[in-house]
Amino acid sequence: MDNSCAVTPKGRRLSTHAVIDGLRRHGFRDLSEVDDVIDNPTRITTQRDGATVYIQRVGRRRRTYNVVIVGDRGIVTGLREMSPGELRRLGRNYGFDPNP
């Protein structure tokens, strides 16, 4: 992933946090993976601060989830292959229902 890039291949804006730290650290190797989560979510919910949370179930045998959070300044962060427990904790910490 090119950290100097400020948008995804589909033109979605990245926040400074997403560019500098969030996406690569949380397992996204390519920005097209971020677009895929937003374009093909299993569910969408809203955080307590108003950010939109896109949740995509991946994996058939072992349930895991890819998550992308989009705020008013663009994509805030993304997390790949979260377990159901990790997703629940993220929702509790940031004020969203992971099972809307």
Side-chain angles (χ1 to χ4, degrees):
M1 181 182 330
D2 179 2
N3 281 346
S4 66
C5 181
V7 297
T8 69
K10 290 196 172 181
R12 293 179 172 110
R13 189 174 38 157
L14 303 176
S15 70
T16 302
H17 173 75
V19 171
I20 293 173
D21 189 43
L23 296 172
R24 175 162 282 171
R25 185 172 58 116
H26 293 296
F28 285 93
R29 298 172 297 280
D30 182 305
L31 292 175
S32 65
E33 296 171 328
V34 174
D35 280 327
D36 182 61
V37 174
I38 294 170
D39 291 340
N40 301 294
T42 305
R43 27 187 207 270
I44 301 171
T45 189
T46 304
Q47 273 187 182
R48 149 177 70 235
D49 67 0
T52 302
V53 181
Y54 297 87
I55 302 168
Q56 180 187 66
R57 183 177 175 175
V58 293
R60 288 194 157 84
R61 300 187 109 180
R62 184 176 155 255
R63 283 187 338 196
T64 59
Y65 299 89
N66 293 339
V67 177
V68 173
I69 301 173
V70 181
D72 58 358
R73 294 187 177 180
I75 295 167
V76 177
T77 194
L79 302 108
R80 283 182 43 87
E81 298 181 5
M82 298 187 78
S83 71
E86 290 170 327
L87 181 59
R88 280 191 302 276
R89 284 188 295 281
L90 184 71
R92 187 173 51 244
N93 291 343
Y94 290 94
F96 69 86
D97 180 358
N99 300 300

